[in-house]
Amino acid sequence: MNTPQNPIERSEVTFRFLAEPAAVNFGGKVHGGSLMKWIDEVAYACAATWSGRYCVTVSVGNIRFRRPILVGNLVELRARIVATGRTSMHIHVSVHAGDPKWGELRQTTDCLMVFVAVDESNHPVGVPSFEPKTDEQKALAKYAMDVKAALDAIVELKPENVAS
């Protein structure tokens, strides 16, 4: 019989797999679009696990590609709830990769994503509140709110004549 997970265990999801040749771009590295798809998938899994609902992506912010991922690398994507609103979940995704024979994975990418939980009619629904407890969780929550404020300010700068 399975016992339910407690909320702190439900706040994080990790995917691990080998980068396959189908994900390679013309330069011989994992295509950025493939990586973004993996990021969206792990973040969705985290949001759905936390909320117990179907969730939709609202935004991806501050994505940074630090180093390439090579075919055959072991890839680890870690998605963590770092803050919640009434219906939204702010999720930090970090990506690490490396040769599985070396036993060391280095950070390649990270970003913040926002998801909203929705009902069967695609209307937003409430999500459980996340309360950061550790110093790392508190720092990530502040970072998420700072990025949100910066993105909100950028939206205000967008010229009216630019297509929405």
Side-chain angles (χ1 to χ4, degrees), residues 37-93:
K37 178 180 182 283
W38 300 337
I39 288 169
D40 192 50
E41 290 170 346
V42 74
Y44 168 80
C46 184
T49 299
W50 179 258
S51 67
R53 295 285 193 156
Y54 178 72
C55 300
V56 294
T57 308
V58 173
S59 68
V60 180
N62 210 29
I63 189 165
R64 293 184 189 171
F65 299 98
R66 290 183 165 89
R67 60 182 45 89
I69 298 174
L70 307 176
V71 169
N73 277 175
L74 178 62
V75 181
E76 179 181 278
L77 294 101
R78 179 181 180 200
R80 297 185 282 174
I81 300 287
V82 296
T84 53
R86 190 179 61 75
T87 63
S88 63
M89 295 155 283
H90 297 256
I91 299 170
H92 180 258
V93 178

Side-chain angles (χ1 to χ4, degrees), residues 117-132:
V118 296
D119 64 17
E120 296 75 23
S121 302
N122 286 324
H123 294 105
V125 295
V127 298
S129 178
F130 177 78
E131 295 298 326

Side-chain angles (χ1 to χ4, degrees), residues 108-126:
T108 66
T109 311
D110 77 309
C111 69
L112 285 168
M113 296 188 72
V114 178
F115 278 78
V116 168
V118 296
D119 64 17
E120 296 75 23
S121 302
N122 286 324
H123 294 105
V125 295

Side-chain angles (χ1 to χ4, degrees), residues 62 80-83 90 92 110 112 130-148:
N62 210 29
R80 297 185 282 174
I81 300 287
V82 296
H90 297 256
H92 180 258
D110 77 309
L112 285 168
F130 177 78
E131 295 298 326
K133 293 179 178 39
T134 67
D135 288 343
E136 181 184 26
Q137 289 172 338
K138 290 174 185 175
L140 281 170
K142 180 182 180 326
Y143 171 61
M145 293 301 99
D146 289 349
V147 168
K148 179 187 181 312

